[in-house]
């Protein structure tokens, strides 16, 4: 996982206990620390805090500095809350670590709709689950959206679908594999504040099993508009997967 040294981690109770067990008992990345919402609030004065997606609403509600912090994605597992002001190295002490969010590896600046541009993407292997369990192979596809006025159009949604030679892929039971969202970051970030241009990292995990044991060689990124009882495709961008 692309988290920096000495990272502060926030998670739900069950996940927090598991993380503490792995870091303290198994000594896997013991430099990382699980924090409470109060500890996360203090940390946000000078350094980022990393939260699991399902725990993010709790942190946003309980940490007083969280609403002013910049929320962005690290991976399909982790979100980062960055301090609202640049970190002050003189007050950060030894616990602060420089960190830069993962950047797109492919840049193409594809206009999607008024004020919305798909600027590029990156592809990373999905975690295998080891050392706890072995999961099927998958890829993490991160899309990078440029919003001219920091607002996502309310009538647009996103569908990401793995493809094989441009054809949509299905599970062994015939159900299409797809991840749909009403807006980037599953609506966790405030995209209505009109705070000016913003670049959003929006990750999707595409993992099998797929029918006939096939593996995708691409992904279709479809932006669509919901109409009365139907859908209208606004744009489709096909990206290759290694």
């Amino acid at each position: 996982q692309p988290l920096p040294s000495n990272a502060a981690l926030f998670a739900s109770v069950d996940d927090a206990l598991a993380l503490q067990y792995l870091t303290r008992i198994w000594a896997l990345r013991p430099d990382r620390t699980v924090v409470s919402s109060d500890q996360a609030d203090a940390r946000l004065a000078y350094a980022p805090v990393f939260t699991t997606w399902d725990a993010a609403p709790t942190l946003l509600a309980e940490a007083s500095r969280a609403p002013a912090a910049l929320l962005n994605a690290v991976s399909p597992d982790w979100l980062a809350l960055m301090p609202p002001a640049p970190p002050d190295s003189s007050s950060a002490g030894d616990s602060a670590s420089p960190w830069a969010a993962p950047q797109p590896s492919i840049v193409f600046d594809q206009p999607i709709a008024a004020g919305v541009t798909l600027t590029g993407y990156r592809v990373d292997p999905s975690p295998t689950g080891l050392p706890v369990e072995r999961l099927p192979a998958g890829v993490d596809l991160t899309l990078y959206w440029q919003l001219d006025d920091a607002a996502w159009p309310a009538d647009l949604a996103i569908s990401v679908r793995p493809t094989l030679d441009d054809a949509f892929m299905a599970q062994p039971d015939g159900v299409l594999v797809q991840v749909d969202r009403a807006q980037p970051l599953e609506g966790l970030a405030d995209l209505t504040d009109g705070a000016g241009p913003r670049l959003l990292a929006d990750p999707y995990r595409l993992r099998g099993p797929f029918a006939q044991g096939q593996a995708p060689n691409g992904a279709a990124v479809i932006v669509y508009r919901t109409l009365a009882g139907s859908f209208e495709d606004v744009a489709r961008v096909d990206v290759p997967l290694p």
Side-chain angles (χ1 to χ4, degrees):
Q1 295 293 310
L3 301 181
S5 299
N6 303 314
L9 311 180
F10 182 83
S12 62
V13 173
D14 288 345
D15 287 340
L17 291 173
L19 287 166
Q20 288 176 331
Y21 189 87
L22 291 172
T23 56
R24 295 181 182 180
I25 306 302
W26 285 32
L28 296 176
R29 293 303 305 268
D31 58 295
R32 293 173 178 170
T33 305
V34 178
V35 296
S36 66
S37 55
D38 288 341
Q39 292 169 326
D41 202 20
R43 176 95 174 189
L44 281 171
Y46 60 86
V49 172
F50 300 87
T51 174
T52 58
W53 284 70
D54 65 329
T58 299
L59 183 58
L60 292 170
E62 295 182 355
S64 62
R65 289 186 176 89
L70 177 62
L71 177 69
N72 219 334
V74 178
S75 74
D77 301 303
W78 294 98
L79 292 158
L81 271 76
M82 303 297 293
D88 181 358
S89 58
S90 64
S91 63
D94 294 336
S95 60
S97 299
W99 179 76
Q103 297 298 302
S105 55
I106 303 295
V107 176
F108 46 61
D109 291 332
Q110 174 68 48
I112 299 297
V116 178
T117 301
L118 182 59
T119 66
Y121 69 97
R122 67 174 293 120
V123 179
D124 298 286
S126 298
T128 62
L130 296 175
V132 178
E133 61 179 323
R134 183 179 294 277
L135 299 174
V139 294
D140 291 349
L141 173 64
T142 303
L143 307 176
Y144 290 82
W145 305 97
Q146 176 71 43
L147 307 182
D148 290 349
D149 61 358
W152 179 264
D155 63 337
L156 295 186
I158 307 162
S159 182
V160 176
R161 308 177 187 182
T163 59
L164 180 60
D165 300 333
D166 295 327
F168 296 143
M169 300 191 70
Q171 299 173 346
D173 59 6
V175 176
L176 288 179
V177 179
Q178 63 188 71
V179 182
D180 285 62
R181 291 181 182 165
Q183 58 179 278
L185 293 178
E186 294 187 351
L188 292 172
D190 183 1
L191 302 183
T192 62
D193 58 10
R198 183 168 180 188
L199 181 66
L200 289 176
D202 188 32
Y204 298 76
R205 179 158 293 155
L206 305 176
R207 196 193 295 277
F210 298 104
Q212 288 84 48
Q214 297 170 326
N217 58 15
V221 179
I222 300 172
V223 178
Y224 63 93
R225 180 177 290 111
T226 302
L227 304 174
S230 64
F231 303 96
E232 175 187 63
D233 287 352
V234 173
R236 170 173 172 167
V237 179
D238 290 286
V239 300
L241 299 179

